[in-house]
Amino acid sequence: MSVTKPLTGAQATAEAMRQINPDVVVAYPITPQTPVVEFFSEFVANGIVDTETIPVESEHSAMSATVGAAAAGARAMCATSSQGLALMWEVVAATPGLRLPIVMPVVNRALSAPINIHCDHSDSMGAATIGWMQIFSENAQEAYENMFLALKIAEHPDVLLPAMVLQDGFITSHGVENVKVLGDGIVKAFVGDRNPDRYLLDVKHPYTIGPLALPDYYFEIKRQQEEAMINAKRVYLEVGNELSRLTGNKYPYFEEYRTDGAEAVIVVLSSAAGTAKDVVDELRNEGKKVGLIKPILFRPFPYKEMREALVKFAVVGVLDRSMSFGSYDPLYADIRNSLFESERKPKLQSYVFGLGGRDIFKSEIRQVFNELLSGNLDSEHHKYIGLRG
Amino acid sequence: MATIQEIVSRETPLAPGHRMCAGCGISPIVNTVVAASDKPVIIANATSCLEVTTTIYPFSAWKIPWVHLTFENAAAVASGIETAYKSLKKRGKITDDVNILAFGGDGGTYDIGFQALSGALERGHKFMYVVYDNEGYMNTGNQRSGATPFGASTTTVPAGTHSFGKPQWRKNIVEIAAAHRIPFTAQAAVHNLLDLYNKAKKGFGADGPAFMAVLQPCTTNWHYDSELTIAYSRLASETNFWPLYEVENGKVHINYKPKERKPIEEFLKGQRRFKHLFKPENKHVIEEMQKMIDEEWERLLQLEAAQVRF
Ligand SMILES: Cc1ncc(C[n+]2csc(CCOP(=O)(O)OP(=O)(O)O)c2C)c(N)n1
Ligand code: SF4
Ligand SMILES: [Mg+2]
């Protein structure tokens, strides 16, 4: 049913896009996203897909053309990173209000200045509050499967919201892994066709999309958008169950790794979770009660489920790969928020690591666990991992 | 060839009841351009007067498919629609033929939307882009744009004791579009709807992108009596301030040559944005304007005579 191929994360994403065979793909280069659109363009050039592509002149136009195509009735995609996401931000922010189910792979990269092409999460975290679903991937396999998951949720009639599928720049996007690739026919049957009930090319039923809404209506429209986000949380699990039947993998809101009976737990997104799992294994072998939580669905954030998971632990360390200057770091803020309703709260510590692609080492994660277990914590201030001076 | 009676008797894409100012020149431009299409038209509209006055939720004046996304990307949105059209047609998901039309104001075209426009023209999408040119950011209250004429007073470059208004000549957007070597580019104006219609027909029929700049006097911010919109548009071409011409497959053709061009004062007088120019200390501004207009007209005549392709 599936074959195993050595693929980079970027290639795995392009492979998923090949199997989805969207009507329109819009391409613009930015490291480390570039190979996604390059691999896909190669499929087009060799007739492997019959998608129409638009090689635009900027990311602003990339998102604009994608929205134009989606409003016209197409299943349309583009992909980006960092400065590209920042440049298209205006249109990214406008998309959820139009209720267009666009799926956009985002390969996480640090934001300027200083300019830096390597991984951190400051690009997508800046866009975490504007109405896109965000699904994080630890590795190429997840980056591949999350494309199907995101597409089906986005296009669900109870949702109709855009989704970003995130993977770590270079670490995932350029690292080769063995990826289990589903059969083309299986994917085709799973994703089906996009069947919008209203679209511009349906000229017999003219419709206006993107009007001006004044104070008498804007608020209600935004409220509907939030309802859709709430629905997305439910639909995520439903679609995840369907996809499970094809891949054999599970699609929870977050992954709990060896948390049974754990005292100290680390919460961390994406590729660093892979490294942290290794450390958890080592420490468990040494008899230490440690575990890991890897959030996957970041928007909508599963506060209740996260709370129910976290209250079992004595101490939780949250590792953010970006900062939210002047406030609690983004992942930490959500974890902290999720505990408000709980009588019993674990002790919390916020950490920042890996900005601009700085590596995080197992020894550092081990030290974090030791610190968490030692109880020398300050929930109001973050600590830095791997920072000089 | 259609008569003006036939054109105006066609069903208009815009329903009555939109909120444009009385005497605004935009709606006849929209109605005439769309009337020139023999296929259903899909519109991508930039943020502008046209957009805000026609779609105040939950109402829409549009009887045809219409999308607005943001200010600077109507051309990029149109590229997406055009590509979706090609794709869905190829895949047998739709059967209707359509024409794709983008509308932007001059701010959304000459300035903030310039890159998206250039990109879409360069990529060769089959669509028509129409800028209705009221020579400034009117929806936001008469700010300067790259289309604002020399000497005009705007709220961001007002005339004052140390300023005669805009010190630069406007950008020549038609020649810039033509320099993309697209099959059809034209300059038209709202007073000559038959000319506009004929140009729009050529634009829709072009094998590739088409671009039109259409002069649209703005009663509110040029500030003149609302019944004078057509008169000002006509004066703009009778003074050679706004020549009517087209560039078809690279070759210039002038559609209207005044027998005797009127002095530019005829166009300037009565408009508040040019009122300060009639003070004695600004006499040189009008003289310079006249000189530039005459030189530009000479150059246009030479371009036409040479028949050298753009
Ligand atoms: C990115 C962005 N910048 C600024 C604005 C504010 N804005 C909206 S319409 C407009 C002026 C539009 O001028 P023009 O394109 O000439 O159209 P007109 O109003 O004259 O019809 C401006 C400045 C905006 N909506 N978006
Ligand atoms: S401000 Fe000018 S361009 Fe805008 S609707 Fe009024 S007359 Fe027309
Ligand atoms: Mg304008």
Side-chain angles (χ1 to χ4, degrees), chain A residues 90, chain B residues 47-49 71-72 105-108 132 134 136-140:
Chain A
E90 183 200 27
Chain B
T47 311
S48 59
C49 276
F71 185 16
E72 62 294 271
D106 47 287
Y132 65 91
N134 49 32
Y137 295 19
M138 296 323 187
N139 174 44
T140 45

Side-chain angles (χ1 to χ4, degrees), chain B residues 31-52:
Chain B
N31 287 335
T32 304
V33 169
V34 174
S37 173
D38 50 7
K39 298 173 192 158
V41 173
I42 298 177
I43 291 181
N45 203 154
T47 311
S48 59
C49 276
L50 175 59
E51 170 259 330
V52 300

Side-chain angles (χ1 to χ4, degrees), chain B residues 113-136:
Chain B
F114 189 61
Q115 172 184 311
L117 172 66
S118 177
L121 298 182
E122 182 266 334
R123 291 190 299 274
H125 297 281
K126 187 171 163 13
F127 81 118
M128 177 151 66
Y129 190 104
V130 176
V131 47
Y132 65 91
D133 190 339
N134 49 32
E135 308 193 312

